[in-house]
Amino acid sequence: MSNELIRFSVAMPEDLLAQFDELVERRGMARNRSEAVRDLVREALVDQECADPDALVVGTLTISFDHHSHDLQDKLDHIQHEHFDRIVSKLHVHLDAHNCLEVVVMRGPARLIQDISNAILGTKGVKNGKLVLTTATEA
Ligand code: NI
């Protein structure tokens, strides 16, 4: 396999194509249909790879919480210390007088990264959060 660009034609209903063009425009990330298709294929491949519980992934978990919540920061730090070998880094932002935002970067098997993430998200006082998984390999 090489990175040489291969042309192929795609047939799709007019309505779907119109929606695709709108999607491309809304995302503003692709300059043309070919780039948009490549982006979507890469996205699907990464999603598929991350769905394998044994796949080695990189996860970024973003959470927000009130730092006045009882013992919450200690509990969050405890979970992360328990998995110090999987936690790559953590960013802590003091959003205002009460609220904090943390981004935890993890690396390891997808199943374990999900488990650590669920433990953090399930800690009482965490208001909301989202885990995004990706792979370190190039698609
Ligand atoms: Ni803070």
Side-chain angles (χ1 to χ4, degrees):
M1 286 201 290
S2 76
N3 280 326
E4 187 189 343
L5 293 176
I6 308 292
R7 284 193 182 279
F8 67 102
S9 53
V10 176
M12 70 171 75
E14 195 177 350
D15 283 358
L16 188 60
L17 181 59
Q19 290 178 60
F20 178 64
D21 285 341
E22 278 174 29
L23 177 80
V24 169
E25 201 176 318
R26 268 204 309 275
R27 285 192 170 190
M29 50 193 261
R31 287 186 294 275
N32 56 52
R33 287 175 180 161
S34 290
E35 267 187 47
V37 169
R38 288 195 290 270
D39 285 348
L40 290 173
V41 170
R42 288 192 190 101
E43 200 175 300
L45 289 170
V46 167
D47 284 351
Q48 189 188 44
E49 207 174 321
C50 290
D52 174 0
D54 296 321
L56 287 176
V57 301
V58 177
T60 52
L61 174 66
T62 302
I63 56 170
S64 68
F65 57 94
D66 185 334
H67 83 119
H68 295 300
S69 283
H70 184 65
D71 282 348
L72 179 54
Q73 187 70 69
D74 284 348
K75 286 176 185 163
L76 294 175
D77 286 344
H78 177 71
I79 294 168
Q80 292 177 48
H81 275 281
E82 272 188 321
H83 301 284
F84 68 90
D85 53 340
R86 298 300 180 191
I87 308 292
V88 177
S89 185
K90 179 183 83 171
L91 169 74
H92 183 108
V93 180
H94 310 302
L95 290 176
D96 56 33
H98 308 285
N99 298 296
C100 302
L101 176 130
E102 281 193 1
V103 180
V104 184
V105 182
M106 300 168 274
R107 185 196 290 262
R111 183 189 290 114
L112 182 58
I113 301 308
Q114 284 280 4
D115 287 349
I116 298 169
S117 178
N118 288 340
I120 292 171
L121 288 168
T123 304
K124 192 179 173 197
V126 173
K127 288 179 180 172
N128 59 59
K130 188 179 171 88
L131 173 68
V132 175
L133 295 179
T134 191
T135 56
T137 54
E138 210 171 302

